Amino acid sequence: MNPAAVSTLPAAAVRASALLVLLVVWQIVAWKVNDPLLPSPAAVFVSLVHHLTHGELLHHLGKTLMRVAAAFVIAMLVGVSVGVWMGRSKLVNNLFDGMLVLMLNLPALVAAILCFIWIGLNETAAVLAVALNKIPTVITNIREGARALDTQLLQVGEVYRVPRGTVLRRIVLPQLYPYIMASARSGLALIWKIVLVIELLGRSDGIGFQLGTFFQFFDLTSILAYTAAFAAVVFAIEALLLRPLDRRLNGWRA
Amino acid sequence: MKLVVDIRRKRHPGKAKDTIGRLAFSAESGEFVAIVGPSGAGKTTLLKIIAGLDKDYEGGLDGAGDDARLGFVFQEPRLLPWLNVADNLRLVTPALSPALSDAEIDAGLAKVGLADTAAQFPLRLSGGMQRRVALLRAFLVRPELLLLDEPFISLDAPTAESLYQVLAELRSDVLPTTLLVTHDLREALALADRVLFVSHSPAQLILDYPIRLPKPRRRDDDAVSEMHRALIAQYPELLGGLGTARPNKEAA
Protein backbone atom coordinates (compact mmCIF):
# COMPACT_ATOMS: atom_id res chain seq x y z
CA MET A 1 0.00 0.00 0.00
CA ASN A 2 1.40 3.41 -0.87
CA PRO A 3 1.43 6.24 1.70
CA ALA A 4 -1.31 8.23 -0.04
CA ALA A 5 -3.71 5.32 0.28
CA VAL A 6 -2.93 4.97 3.97
CA SER A 7 -3.64 8.64 4.65
CA THR A 8 -7.08 8.42 3.06
CA LEU A 9 -8.22 5.72 5.51
CA PRO A 10 -11.01 6.98 7.77
CA ALA A 11 -9.81 8.10 11.21
CA ALA A 12 -12.12 5.67 13.00
CA ALA A 13 -10.64 2.71 11.13
CA VAL A 14 -7.11 3.75 12.03
CA ARG A 15 -8.01 4.13 15.71
CA ALA A 16 -9.83 0.79 15.81
CA SER A 17 -7.01 -1.12 14.11
CA ALA A 18 -4.42 0.32 16.52
CA LEU A 19 -6.46 -1.00 19.44
CA LEU A 20 -6.94 -4.30 17.66
CA VAL A 21 -3.18 -4.75 17.15
CA LEU A 22 -2.66 -4.09 20.86
CA LEU A 23 -5.22 -6.76 21.75
CA VAL A 24 -3.65 -9.31 19.40
CA VAL A 25 -0.16 -8.70 20.81
CA TRP A 26 -1.52 -9.02 24.35
CA GLN A 27 -3.28 -12.28 23.48
CA ILE A 28 -0.14 -13.79 21.94
CA VAL A 29 2.08 -12.77 24.87
CA ALA A 30 -0.49 -14.15 27.34
CA TRP A 31 -0.48 -17.52 25.51
CA LYS A 32 3.30 -17.68 25.53
CA VAL A 33 3.66 -16.72 29.21
CA ASN A 34 0.70 -18.81 30.33
CA ASP A 35 0.58 -17.44 33.89
CA PRO A 36 -2.56 -16.46 35.90
CA LEU A 37 -0.84 -13.14 36.64
CA LEU A 38 -1.09 -12.21 32.93
CA PRO A 39 -4.62 -13.15 31.85
CA SER A 40 -5.38 -13.06 28.14
CA PRO A 41 -7.88 -10.59 26.66
CA ALA A 42 -10.22 -13.49 25.98
CA ALA A 43 -10.15 -14.49 29.66
CA VAL A 44 -10.73 -10.88 30.67
CA PHE A 45 -13.71 -10.69 28.32
CA VAL A 46 -15.22 -13.88 29.78
CA SER A 47 -14.70 -12.46 33.28
CA LEU A 48 -16.28 -9.16 32.24
CA VAL A 49 -19.37 -10.95 30.95
CA HIS A 50 -19.52 -12.96 34.16
CA HIS A 51 -19.26 -9.87 36.39
CA LEU A 52 -21.87 -8.11 34.26
CA THR A 53 -24.38 -10.93 34.38
CA HIS A 54 -23.72 -12.57 37.75
CA GLY A 55 -21.60 -10.15 39.71
CA GLU A 56 -22.11 -6.68 41.07
CA LEU A 57 -20.15 -4.78 38.43
CA LEU A 58 -23.09 -2.62 37.36
CA HIS A 59 -23.90 -1.71 40.95
CA HIS A 60 -20.33 -0.64 41.71
CA LEU A 61 -19.91 1.07 38.35
CA GLY A 62 -23.11 3.01 39.06
CA LYS A 63 -21.83 4.09 42.47
CA THR A 64 -18.54 5.25 41.01
CA LEU A 65 -20.28 7.05 38.15
CA MET A 66 -22.50 8.93 40.60
CA ARG A 67 -19.45 10.10 42.54
CA VAL A 68 -17.64 11.08 39.36
CA ALA A 69 -20.67 13.04 38.17
CA ALA A 70 -21.16 14.83 41.49
CA ALA A 71 -17.48 15.71 41.86
CA PHE A 72 -17.31 16.79 38.22
CA VAL A 73 -20.31 19.11 38.45
CA ILE A 74 -19.09 20.68 41.70
CA ALA A 75 -15.54 21.12 40.38
CA MET A 76 -16.71 22.70 37.13
CA LEU A 77 -19.21 25.06 38.76
CA VAL A 78 -16.82 26.26 41.45
CA GLY A 79 -13.80 26.25 39.15
CA VAL A 80 -15.46 28.24 36.36
CA SER A 81 -16.98 30.81 38.73
CA VAL A 82 -13.80 31.41 40.70
CA GLY A 83 -11.68 31.26 37.53
CA VAL A 84 -13.71 33.98 35.80
CA TRP A 85 -13.64 36.06 38.95
CA MET A 86 -9.88 35.76 39.35
CA GLY A 87 -9.30 36.40 35.67
CA ARG A 88 -11.33 39.61 35.68
CA SER A 89 -10.30 41.14 39.02
CA LYS A 90 -6.71 41.81 40.03
CA LEU A 91 -7.74 42.12 43.67
CA VAL A 92 -9.49 38.75 43.77
CA ASN A 93 -6.58 37.20 41.92
CA ASN A 94 -4.07 38.51 44.44
CA LEU A 95 -6.27 37.33 47.29
CA PHE A 96 -6.63 33.75 46.09
CA ASP A 97 -3.45 33.16 44.11
CA GLY A 98 -1.42 31.84 47.03
CA MET A 99 -4.18 29.50 48.09
CA LEU A 100 -4.53 28.32 44.49
CA VAL A 101 -0.87 27.35 44.26
CA LEU A 102 -1.19 25.49 47.57
CA MET A 103 -4.31 23.64 46.39
CA LEU A 104 -2.74 22.78 43.03
CA ASN A 105 0.10 21.03 44.82
CA LEU A 106 -1.89 19.39 47.58
CA PRO A 107 -1.49 15.61 47.11
CA ALA A 108 -4.77 13.81 46.39
CA LEU A 109 -4.10 11.46 49.24
CA VAL A 110 -3.74 14.28 51.76
CA ALA A 111 -7.01 15.88 50.62
CA ALA A 112 -8.74 12.50 50.92
CA ILE A 113 -7.40 11.72 54.39
CA LEU A 114 -8.27 15.18 55.69
CA CYS A 115 -11.80 14.98 54.29
CA PHE A 116 -12.43 11.51 55.70
CA ILE A 117 -11.11 12.45 59.12
CA TRP A 118 -12.80 15.81 59.38
CA ILE A 119 -16.12 14.98 57.71
CA GLY A 120 -16.31 11.24 58.31
CA LEU A 121 -16.22 8.13 56.16
CA ASN A 122 -19.22 9.15 54.11
CA GLU A 123 -20.34 10.10 50.62
CA THR A 124 -19.97 13.86 51.17
CA ALA A 125 -16.35 13.50 52.21
CA ALA A 126 -15.57 11.26 49.25
CA VAL A 127 -17.13 13.57 46.66
CA LEU A 128 -15.61 16.66 48.27
CA ALA A 129 -12.14 15.08 48.34
CA VAL A 130 -12.37 14.37 44.61
CA ALA A 131 -13.72 17.83 43.78
CA LEU A 132 -10.99 19.52 45.82
CA ASN A 133 -8.39 17.86 43.64
CA LYS A 134 -9.98 19.07 40.45
CA ILE A 135 -11.13 22.59 41.35
CA PRO A 136 -7.69 24.28 41.27
CA THR A 137 -6.85 23.00 37.80
CA VAL A 138 -10.22 24.20 36.48
CA ILE A 139 -9.62 27.60 38.06
CA THR A 140 -6.17 27.87 36.48
CA ASN A 141 -7.53 27.02 33.04
CA ILE A 142 -10.57 29.27 33.16
CA ARG A 143 -8.56 32.16 34.60
CA GLU A 144 -6.40 32.11 31.46
CA GLY A 145 -9.54 32.24 29.35
CA ALA A 146 -11.05 35.07 31.36
CA ARG A 147 -7.85 37.07 30.99
CA ALA A 148 -7.96 36.62 27.23
CA LEU A 149 -11.54 37.87 26.82
CA ASP A 150 -11.98 40.17 23.83
CA THR A 151 -12.46 43.70 25.19
CA GLN A 152 -13.85 44.81 21.84
CA LEU A 153 -16.80 42.48 22.16
CA LEU A 154 -17.29 43.37 25.83
CA GLN A 155 -17.50 47.02 24.72
CA VAL A 156 -20.39 46.13 22.41
CA GLY A 157 -22.27 44.90 25.47
CA GLU A 158 -21.32 48.02 27.38
CA VAL A 159 -22.28 50.51 24.67
CA TYR A 160 -25.68 48.90 24.12
CA ARG A 161 -26.23 48.41 27.84
CA VAL A 162 -26.79 44.69 27.55
CA PRO A 163 -27.77 43.34 31.01
CA ARG A 164 -25.05 41.55 32.97
CA GLY A 165 -26.65 38.13 32.76
CA THR A 166 -26.96 38.36 28.99
CA VAL A 167 -23.37 39.58 28.67
CA LEU A 168 -22.24 36.56 30.66
CA ARG A 169 -24.32 34.12 28.62
CA ARG A 170 -23.90 35.55 25.15
CA ILE A 171 -20.54 37.34 25.18
CA VAL A 172 -18.37 35.93 27.97
CA LEU A 173 -19.19 32.21 28.17
CA PRO A 174 -18.87 31.51 24.43
CA GLN A 175 -15.33 32.87 24.59
CA LEU A 176 -14.62 30.52 27.50
CA TYR A 177 -16.05 27.38 25.84
CA PRO A 178 -12.69 26.15 24.53
CA TYR A 179 -11.22 26.51 28.02
CA ILE A 180 -14.26 24.92 29.63
CA MET A 181 -14.16 21.99 27.21
CA ALA A 182 -10.45 21.46 27.83
CA SER A 183 -11.09 21.55 31.57
CA ALA A 184 -13.99 19.13 31.23
CA ARG A 185 -11.90 16.62 29.28
CA SER A 186 -8.83 16.71 31.46
CA GLY A 187 -11.09 16.98 34.50
CA LEU A 188 -13.03 13.85 33.73
CA ALA A 189 -9.78 11.92 33.31
CA LEU A 190 -8.35 13.23 36.57
CA ILE A 191 -11.56 12.62 38.52
CA TRP A 192 -11.79 9.02 37.27
CA LYS A 193 -8.32 8.35 38.53
CA ILE A 194 -8.76 9.98 41.92
CA VAL A 195 -12.23 8.67 42.64
CA LEU A 196 -10.95 5.08 42.66
CA VAL A 197 -8.20 5.87 45.13
CA ILE A 198 -10.70 7.53 47.42
CA GLU A 199 -13.11 4.59 47.17
CA LEU A 200 -10.27 2.26 48.03
CA LEU A 201 -9.46 4.39 51.03
CA GLY A 202 -12.82 5.13 52.56
CA ARG A 203 -15.85 3.57 50.86
CA SER A 204 -17.36 0.10 50.91
CA ASP A 205 -18.63 0.15 47.35
CA GLY A 206 -17.64 1.46 43.95
CA ILE A 207 -15.05 0.24 41.50
CA GLY A 208 -12.14 1.38 43.66
CA PHE A 209 -13.42 -0.69 46.58
CA GLN A 210 -13.86 -3.73 44.31
CA LEU A 211 -10.38 -3.38 42.85
CA GLY A 212 -9.01 -3.34 46.41
CA THR A 213 -10.83 -6.59 47.15
CA PHE A 214 -9.57 -8.29 43.95
CA PHE A 215 -6.07 -7.05 44.76
CA GLN A 216 -6.17 -8.95 48.06
CA PHE A 217 -6.93 -12.16 46.11
CA PHE A 218 -4.47 -11.37 43.32
CA ASP A 219 -7.49 -11.71 40.97
CA LEU A 220 -5.92 -9.93 38.01
CA THR A 221 -8.55 -11.14 35.56
CA SER A 222 -11.32 -9.41 37.51
CA ILE A 223 -9.23 -6.28 37.96
CA LEU A 224 -8.70 -6.06 34.20
CA ALA A 225 -12.38 -6.84 33.54
CA TYR A 226 -13.43 -3.96 35.78
CA THR A 227 -10.85 -1.72 34.11
CA ALA A 228 -12.26 -2.63 30.70
CA ALA A 229 -15.82 -1.80 31.79
CA PHE A 230 -14.58 1.48 33.03
CA ALA A 231 -12.64 2.27 29.84
CA ALA A 232 -15.78 1.53 27.82
CA VAL A 233 -17.69 4.14 29.83
CA VAL A 234 -14.94 6.72 29.25
CA PHE A 235 -15.05 6.09 25.50
CA ALA A 236 -18.84 6.34 25.52
CA ILE A 237 -18.78 9.68 27.36
CA GLU A 238 -16.21 11.07 24.94
CA ALA A 239 -18.06 9.87 21.83
CA LEU A 240 -21.66 10.44 22.92
CA LEU A 241 -21.30 13.56 25.05
CA LEU A 242 -18.11 15.56 24.64
CA ARG A 243 -17.55 15.29 20.92
CA PRO A 244 -21.14 16.15 19.89
CA LEU A 245 -21.08 19.03 22.40
CA ASP A 246 -17.83 20.26 20.87
CA ARG A 247 -19.34 20.15 17.39
CA ARG A 248 -22.42 22.03 18.54
CA LEU A 249 -20.48 24.77 20.28
CA ASN A 250 -18.16 25.20 17.31
CA GLY A 251 -20.85 25.26 14.62
CA TRP A 252 -20.32 28.98 14.02
CA ARG A 253 -16.71 28.62 12.88
CA ALA A 254 -16.54 29.19 9.14
CA MET B 1 -31.31 65.25 21.27
CA LYS B 2 -28.72 68.01 21.36
CA LEU B 3 -25.20 66.92 22.18
CA VAL B 4 -22.85 69.21 24.08
CA VAL B 5 -19.23 68.16 24.49
CA ASP B 6 -16.87 70.12 26.67
CA ILE B 7 -13.64 68.25 27.30
CA ARG B 8 -10.89 70.14 29.05
CA ARG B 9 -8.28 67.43 29.13
CA LYS B 10 -7.84 63.71 28.64
CA ARG B 11 -4.64 61.89 29.42
CA HIS B 12 -4.24 58.13 29.33
CA PRO B 13 -2.70 56.81 32.51
CA GLY B 14 1.03 56.37 32.16
CA LYS B 15 1.32 58.68 29.14
CA ALA B 16 3.45 61.80 29.26
CA LYS B 17 1.23 63.77 26.87
CA ASP B 18 -2.47 64.60 26.81
CA THR B 19 -4.47 62.70 24.19
CA ILE B 20 -7.14 65.39 24.01
CA GLY B 21 -6.62 69.04 24.87
CA ARG B 22 -9.41 71.56 25.11
CA LEU B 23 -12.18 70.27 22.84
CA ALA B 24 -15.63 71.80 23.01
CA PHE B 25 -18.44 71.64 20.46
CA SER B 26 -22.10 70.87 20.20
CA ALA B 27 -24.33 69.12 17.69
CA GLU B 28 -27.99 69.98 17.17
CA SER B 29 -30.63 67.29 17.42
CA GLY B 30 -30.52 65.25 14.22
CA GLU B 31 -27.41 66.99 12.93
CA PHE B 32 -24.69 64.96 11.19
CA VAL B 33 -21.28 66.12 12.32
CA ALA B 34 -18.04 64.67 10.98
CA ILE B 35 -14.83 64.92 12.95
CA VAL B 36 -11.79 64.83 10.71
CA GLY B 37 -8.25 64.58 11.96
CA PRO B 38 -5.01 62.73 11.50
CA SER B 39 -4.57 59.14 12.67
CA GLY B 40 -3.72 58.93 16.33
CA ALA B 41 -5.31 62.31 17.07
CA GLY B 42 -7.46 60.88 19.84
CA LYS B 43 -10.67 60.69 17.77
CA THR B 44 -11.53 57.19 18.95
CA THR B 45 -10.80 58.24 22.53
CA LEU B 46 -13.22 61.12 22.04
CA LEU B 47 -15.99 58.76 20.91
CA LYS B 48 -15.30 56.44 23.83
CA ILE B 49 -15.68 59.35 26.22
CA ILE B 50 -18.92 60.42 24.59
CA ALA B 51 -20.20 56.83 24.70
CA GLY B 52 -19.42 56.58 28.40
CA LEU B 53 -16.84 53.82 27.88
CA ASP B 54 -14.10 56.08 29.23
CA LYS B 55 -14.99 58.16 32.26
CA ASP B 56 -11.47 59.17 33.20
CA TYR B 57 -11.26 62.72 31.75
CA GLU B 58 -11.70 66.33 32.78
CA GLY B 59 -14.76 68.07 31.43
CA GLY B 60 -18.43 67.45 30.91
CA LEU B 61 -21.02 66.09 28.49
CA ASP B 62 -24.68 66.67 27.89
CA GLY B 63 -26.98 64.47 25.83
CA ALA B 64 -24.42 61.66 25.81
CA GLY B 65 -23.26 58.77 27.94
CA ASP B 66 -26.03 57.54 30.16
CA ASP B 67 -28.45 60.31 29.13
CA ALA B 68 -29.00 59.19 25.56
CA ARG B 69 -30.02 56.02 23.80
CA LEU B 70 -26.83 55.20 21.99
CA GLY B 71 -25.92 53.53 18.74
CA PHE B 72 -22.24 52.83 18.14
CA VAL B 73 -20.62 51.52 14.97
CA PHE B 74 -17.03 50.51 15.51
CA GLN B 75 -14.10 50.39 13.09
CA GLU B 76 -14.58 46.64 12.82
CA PRO B 77 -18.10 45.19 12.62
CA ARG B 78 -17.70 43.55 16.05
CA LEU B 79 -20.46 41.01 15.56
CA LEU B 80 -20.43 38.06 17.92
CA PRO B 81 -19.22 35.20 15.71
CA TRP B 82 -21.08 32.52 17.68
CA LEU B 83 -24.47 34.20 17.31
CA ASN B 84 -26.30 34.22 14.01
CA VAL B 85 -27.28 37.54 12.47
CA ALA B 86 -30.73 37.61 14.05
CA ASP B 87 -29.35 36.85 17.53
CA ASN B 88 -26.67 39.49 17.09
CA LEU B 89 -29.41 42.01 16.42
CA ARG B 90 -31.53 40.80 19.34
CA LEU B 91 -28.55 40.99 21.69
CA VAL B 92 -28.41 44.79 21.66
CA THR B 93 -32.14 45.29 22.08
CA PRO B 94 -32.82 43.60 25.42
CA ALA B 95 -34.98 46.50 26.56
CA LEU B 96 -37.41 45.94 23.71
CA SER B 97 -40.43 44.10 24.98
CA PRO B 98 -41.65 42.01 23.31
CA ALA B 99 -38.31 41.05 21.75
CA LEU B 100 -37.79 41.77 18.07
CA SER B 101 -39.87 39.39 16.02
CA ASP B 102 -38.45 37.39 13.13
CA ALA B 103 -40.51 39.51 10.76
CA GLU B 104 -39.08 42.76 12.15
CA ILE B 105 -35.56 41.41 11.84
CA ASP B 106 -36.17 40.23 8.29
CA ALA B 107 -37.62 43.63 7.40
CA GLY B 108 -34.58 45.39 8.87
CA LEU B 109 -32.20 43.10 7.03
CA ALA B 110 -34.10 43.61 3.77
CA LYS B 111 -33.75 47.36 4.23
CA VAL B 112 -29.96 47.08 4.34
CA GLY B 113 -29.94 44.69 1.39
CA LEU B 114 -29.38 41.52 3.40
CA ALA B 115 -32.66 39.66 2.99
CA ASP B 116 -32.48 35.96 4.00
CA THR B 117 -29.34 36.26 6.10
CA ALA B 118 -31.00 36.14 9.54
CA ALA B 119 -29.87 32.56 10.22
CA GLN B 120 -26.30 33.04 8.91
CA PHE B 121 -23.27 33.21 11.14
CA PRO B 122 -21.30 36.46 10.70
CA LEU B 123 -18.07 34.78 9.59
CA ARG B 124 -19.90 33.45 6.54
CA LEU B 125 -20.72 36.98 5.41
CA SER B 126 -18.39 39.26 3.46
CA GLY B 127 -16.80 42.23 5.23
CA GLY B 128 -19.20 44.66 3.56
CA MET B 129 -22.20 42.57 4.61
CA GLN B 130 -20.96 42.38 8.21
CA ARG B 131 -20.73 46.15 8.25
CA ARG B 132 -24.32 46.40 7.05
CA VAL B 133 -25.40 44.22 9.95
CA ALA B 134 -23.36 46.40 12.33
CA LEU B 135 -25.06 49.52 10.94
CA LEU B 136 -28.50 47.98 11.27
CA ARG B 137 -27.69 46.88 14.83
CA ALA B 138 -26.91 50.47 15.77
CA PHE B 139 -30.27 51.64 14.42
CA LEU B 140 -32.45 48.92 15.93
CA VAL B 141 -32.09 50.55 19.36
CA ARG B 142 -33.61 53.70 17.77
CA PRO B 143 -30.64 55.77 18.92
CA GLU B 144 -30.86 59.40 19.93
CA LEU B 145 -27.12 59.64 19.49
CA LEU B 146 -25.22 57.69 16.84
CA LEU B 147 -21.44 57.40 17.04
CA LEU B 148 -19.56 56.15 13.99
CA ASP B 149 -15.88 55.31 14.46
CA GLU B 150 -14.44 55.12 10.93
CA PRO B 151 -16.92 52.39 10.03
CA PHE B 152 -16.18 52.58 6.29
CA ILE B 153 -12.44 52.31 6.60
CA SER B 154 -10.62 49.75 4.44
CA LEU B 155 -13.57 49.28 2.10
CA ASP B 156 -13.31 49.75 -1.65
CA ALA B 157 -15.03 52.87 -3.00
CA PRO B 158 -18.18 51.19 -4.43
CA THR B 159 -18.76 49.24 -1.20
CA ALA B 160 -18.26 52.36 0.89
CA GLU B 161 -20.61 54.28 -1.41
CA SER B 162 -23.32 51.64 -1.03
CA LEU B 163 -22.92 51.78 2.75
CA TYR B 164 -23.34 55.57 2.66
CA GLN B 165 -26.74 54.96 1.09
CA VAL B 166 -27.65 52.38 3.71
CA LEU B 167 -26.65 54.83 6.42
CA ALA B 168 -28.67 57.67 4.86
CA GLU B 169 -31.72 55.46 4.57
CA LEU B 170 -31.51 54.21 8.14
CA ARG B 171 -30.94 57.74 9.43
CA SER B 172 -33.99 59.08 7.66
CA ASP B 173 -36.24 56.85 9.83
CA VAL B 174 -34.70 57.56 13.21
CA LEU B 175 -32.78 60.81 12.70
CA PRO B 176 -30.26 60.49 15.51
CA THR B 177 -27.72 63.18 16.26
CA THR B 178 -24.73 61.69 14.48
CA LEU B 179 -21.02 61.95 15.04
CA LEU B 180 -18.73 60.41 12.41
CA VAL B 181 -15.03 60.15 13.09
CA THR B 182 -12.87 59.73 10.00
CA HIS B 183 -9.57 60.70 8.45
CA ASP B 184 -11.11 60.59 4.99
CA LEU B 185 -12.09 64.18 4.12
CA ARG B 186 -14.11 63.19 1.06
CA GLU B 187 -16.19 60.83 3.15
CA ALA B 188 -16.86 63.60 5.65
CA LEU B 189 -17.86 66.00 2.88
CA ALA B 190 -20.15 63.42 1.29
CA LEU B 191 -22.02 62.60 4.48
CA ALA B 192 -21.99 65.40 7.01
CA ASP B 193 -23.81 68.67 7.63
CA ARG B 194 -20.74 70.06 9.31
CA VAL B 195 -17.09 69.07 9.56
CA LEU B 196 -14.96 69.66 12.62
CA PHE B 197 -11.23 69.49 12.01
CA VAL B 198 -9.11 68.44 14.94
CA SER B 199 -5.37 68.66 15.33
CA HIS B 200 -2.74 66.11 16.15
CA SER B 201 -2.94 64.94 19.73
CA PRO B 202 -3.53 66.55 22.11
CA ALA B 203 -6.62 66.95 19.94
CA GLN B 204 -8.01 70.45 19.66
CA LEU B 205 -10.64 71.95 17.41
CA ILE B 206 -9.01 73.86 14.57
CA LEU B 207 -11.84 74.48 12.10
CA ASP B 208 -15.63 74.24 12.18
CA TYR B 209 -16.83 73.99 8.59
CA PRO B 210 -20.50 73.82 7.59
CA ILE B 211 -21.47 72.02 4.37
CA ARG B 212 -24.49 73.45 2.64
CA LEU B 213 -24.57 71.15 -0.36
CA PRO B 214 -27.83 69.27 -1.02
CA LYS B 215 -28.03 65.61 0.02
CA PRO B 216 -27.65 62.86 -0.95
CA ARG B 217 -24.11 63.34 -2.17
CA ARG B 218 -21.51 60.91 -3.44
CA ARG B 219 -17.86 61.08 -2.65
CA ASP B 220 -16.99 61.82 -6.28
CA ASP B 221 -19.75 64.39 -6.94
CA ASP B 222 -18.44 67.50 -8.67
CA ALA B 223 -19.58 69.72 -5.82
CA VAL B 224 -17.86 67.51 -3.25
CA SER B 225 -14.68 67.41 -5.33
CA GLU B 226 -14.82 71.19 -5.74
CA MET B 227 -15.22 71.70 -1.99
CA HIS B 228 -12.42 69.23 -1.29
CA ARG B 229 -10.12 71.14 -3.66
CA ALA B 230 -11.11 74.52 -2.24
CA LEU B 231 -10.52 73.40 1.34
CA ILE B 232 -7.09 72.05 0.57
CA ALA B 233 -6.21 75.23 -1.34
CA GLN B 234 -7.50 77.43 1.47
CA TYR B 235 -5.95 75.51 4.36
CA PRO B 236 -2.97 73.77 2.82
CA GLU B 237 -1.12 73.33 6.09
CA LEU B 238 -4.28 72.01 7.77
CA LEU B 239 -5.44 69.48 5.21
CA GLY B 240 -2.56 69.01 2.82
CA GLY B 241 -0.90 67.35 5.75
CA LEU B 242 -3.62 66.14 8.04
CA GLY B 243 -0.68 64.41 9.62
CA THR B 244 1.30 67.60 10.21
CA ALA B 245 -1.26 70.15 11.43
CA ARG B 246 0.02 71.69 14.62
CA PRO B 247 -2.15 71.93 17.70
CA ASN B 248 -1.79 75.69 18.12
CA LYS B 249 -3.39 76.57 14.77
CA GLU B 250 -6.23 78.95 15.40
CA ALA B 251 -9.75 78.02 14.40
CA ALA B 252 -10.92 79.96 11.37
Side-chain angles (χ1 to χ4, degrees):
Chain A
M1 219 190 290
N2 63 43
V6 172
S7 68
T8 56
L9 281 174
V14 176
R15 271 180 229 190
S17 47
L19 283 176
L20 201 67
V21 168
L22 185 73
L23 280 179
V24 169
V25 171
W26 176 10
Q27 182 73 46
I28 292 171
V29 173
W31 267 330
K32 292 276 176 209
V33 176
N34 194 17
D35 184 319
L37 293 188
L38 181 58
S40 70
V44 170
F45 183 74
V46 171
S47 166
L48 175 61
V49 172
H50 170 79
H51 281 297
L52 271 174
T53 49
H54 299 93
E56 296 178 319
L57 193 153
L58 283 178
H59 165 72
H60 292 291
L61 188 62
K63 281 283 181 187
T64 300
L65 271 174
M66 290 296 292
R67 288 177 193 135
V68 166
F72 178 78
V73 169
I74 293 172
M76 290 306 288
L77 282 180
V78 176
V80 170
S81 317
V82 178
V84 170
W85 210 23
M86 287 180 76
R88 297 312 293 171
S89 158
K90 275 210 179 84
L91 176 71
V92 175
N93 188 53
N94 291 338
L95 268 176
F96 290 139
D97 197 45
M99 217 191 315
L100 182 63
V101 174
L102 190 73
M103 293 266 296
L104 267 172
N105 294 290
L106 185 73
L109 196 55
V110 175
I113 292 172
L114 291 180
C115 282
F116 280 135
I117 290 178
W118 285 339
I119 302 174
L121 286 174
N122 55 37
E123 213 54 43
T124 315
V127 168
L128 190 66
V130 180
L132 278 179
N133 277 290
K134 179 53 193 162
I135 287 171
T137 65
V138 180
I139 293 178
T140 317
N141 253 330
I142 301 299
R143 182 174 60 175
E144 283 316 305
R147 283 177 177 159
L149 285 182
D150 186 341
T151 9
Q152 297 208 332
L153 296 181
L154 292 174
Q155 275 180 355
V156 172
E158 213 177 325
V159 160
Y160 289 104
R161 293 174 196 131
V162 180
R164 284 178 79 100
T166 315
V167 168
L168 195 66
R169 228 177 44 251
R170 298 293 214 172
I171 304 183
V172 173
L173 278 182
Q175 298 187 59
L176 294 179
Y177 281 151
Y179 298 87
I180 293 175
M181 285 306 288
S183 288
R185 282 216 165 87
S186 68
L188 217 47
L190 185 70
I191 285 175
W192 271 125
K193 292 175 190 175
I194 293 174
V195 104
L196 298 199
V197 177
I198 280 157
E199 285 173 346
L200 179 70
L201 205 66
R203 301 307 301 143
S204 51
D205 51 16
I207 291 190
F209 168 78
Q210 284 292 91
L211 291 182
T213 314
F214 296 137
F215 175 47
Q216 283 160 22
F217 296 103
F218 271 45
D219 184 356
L220 271 186
T221 317
S222 292
I223 289 182
L224 289 174
Y226 265 69
T227 311
F230 189 90
V233 173
V234 175
F235 273 107
I237 290 178
E238 170 71 24
L240 300 178
L241 216 68
L242 294 180
R243 236 177 284 163
L245 191 64
D246 229 3
R247 261 200 300 277
R248 219 188 106 100
L249 294 178
N250 286 318
W252 56 272
R253 288 181 208 277
Chain B
M1 180 175 267
K2 181 174 167 152
L3 169 71
V4 180
V5 176
D6 182 10
I7 295 171
R8 284 189 290 280
R9 203 162 85 101
K10 162 69 192 174
R11 178 179 293 193
H12 285 291
K15 292 279 168 62
K17 213 173 77 161
D18 291 346
T19 308
I20 300 177
R22 170 89 208 203
L23 190 55
F25 62 90
S26 61
E28 294 305 319
S29 183
E31 193 180 18
F32 194 139
V33 176
I35 298 174
V36 175
S39 298
K43 304 189 298 288
T44 297
T45 305
L46 172 66
L47 285 194
K48 278 191 185 164
I49 289 174
I50 296 174
L53 291 178
D54 187 341
K55 295 194 163 69
D56 180 24
Y57 68 99
E58 292 170 30
L61 294 170
D62 195 32
D66 297 333
D67 305 334
R69 227 172 18 251
L70 185 68
F72 201 128
V73 185
F74 302 90
Q75 271 177 34
E76 320 75 27
R78 295 203 194 178
L79 302 173
L80 300 166
W82 43 84
L83 297 183
N84 67 25
V85 168
D87 286 338
N88 261 288
L89 297 174
R90 284 200 184 95
L91 178 75
V92 300
T93 50
L96 288 189
S97 170
L100 284 176
S101 70
D102 290 348
E104 285 169 302
I105 284 182
D106 284 337
L109 286 169
K111 201 187 286 177
V112 298
L114 290 175
D116 302 324
T117 56
Q120 299 264 15
F121 284 107
L123 292 186
R124 294 181 205 272
L125 303 178
S126 72
M129 290 162 92
Q130 291 184 33
R131 276 162 213 268
R132 283 167 191 252
V133 177
L135 270 177
L136 176 62
R137 176 173 71 178
F139 278 95
L140 282 180
V141 300
R142 302 199 68 81
E144 297 160 300
L145 177 62
L146 176 67
L147 304 176
L148 307 167
D149 185 6
E150 311 211 40
F152 311 117
I153 210 77
S154 74
L155 292 174
D156 55 81
T159 309
E161 200 76 65
S162 72
L163 281 165
Y164 295 170
Q165 284 170 26
V166 170
L167 173 63
E169 172 136 352
L170 290 169
R171 274 192 90 243
S172 65
D173 282 354
V174 185
L175 211 64
T177 309
T178 305
L179 227 50
L180 165 73
V181 147
T182 180
H183 61 246
D184 179 354
L185 178 56
R186 262 180 193 274
E187 179 172 293
L189 297 179
L191 291 172
D193 304 317
R194 215 169 103 213
V195 183
L196 304 177
F197 293 93
V198 297
S199 68
H200 248 304
S201 94
Q204 283 179 310
L205 192 57
I206 39 184
L207 178 64
D208 186 337
Y209 190 86
I211 307 170
R212 297 201 180 82
L213 299 174
K215 287 192 194 178
R217 314 169 200 132
R218 301 169 63 86
R219 44 186 298 135
D220 51 359
D221 277 351
D222 289 344
V224 168
S225 297
E226 178 53 39
M227 185 175 272
H228 188 257
R229 204 166 31 244
L231 266 166
I232 288 183
Q234 199 177 346
Y235 305 99
E237 74 291 354
L238 169 65
L239 304 167
L242 269 177
T244 59
R246 275 182 300 277
N248 57 0
K249 279 283 170 236
E250 274 306 303

